[in-house]
Amino acid sequence: PGVYEDLTLIAPANVLYGDIVKTIRDSTKLIYSVDLLGTHEGNISLRITYLDQSQNLDNTKVAKLRTKILNDLKENLKIRL
């Protein structure tokens, strides 16, 4: 089964939603979906669903994926949590 988590990110005004989704998807092949939950004053709330067809994902694996995604967003788009 998939595992989902909601993240609220602080993004610069010039960053496009499509660039955020692309960066997240490029971070790991285990991204099943990225859905926009809402925006407010530069904050973007997303629901990220992870899915591994070969095994169940545990909290440790999801934490590693999240860390990689957040590092990529920070490095590439100057986005922070």
Side-chain angles (χ1 to χ4, degrees):
V3 175
Y4 74 89
E5 65 180 352
D6 298 342
L7 296 175
T8 298
L9 307 170
I10 301 169
N14 64 336
V15 174
L16 300 175
Y17 173 70
D19 293 336
I20 295 170
V21 172
K22 181 179 182 331
T23 300
I24 292 170
R25 288 191 173 279
D26 288 349
S27 293
T28 173
K29 63 180 179 161
L30 299 179
I31 299 295
Y32 179 75
S33 66
V34 179
D35 299 304
L36 180 65
L37 298 178
T39 62
H40 180 70
E41 296 180 4
N43 295 334
I44 300 172
S45 296
L46 303 172
R47 173 164 290 159
I48 301 174
T49 304
Y50 307 95
L51 181 65
D52 189 336
Q53 297 288 350
S54 64
Q55 63 181 339
N56 289 334
L57 295 171
D58 62 19
N59 289 340
T60 303
K61 179 71 172 177
V62 171
K64 288 179 184 177
L65 295 172
R66 181 186 330 105
T67 298
K68 169 106 173 63
I69 290 167
L70 292 174
N71 286 340
D72 289 351
L73 288 169
K74 182 178 179 182
E75 181 179 313
N76 298 327
L77 301 175
K78 308 299 185 240
I79 291 175
R80 56 191 170 92
L81 192 61

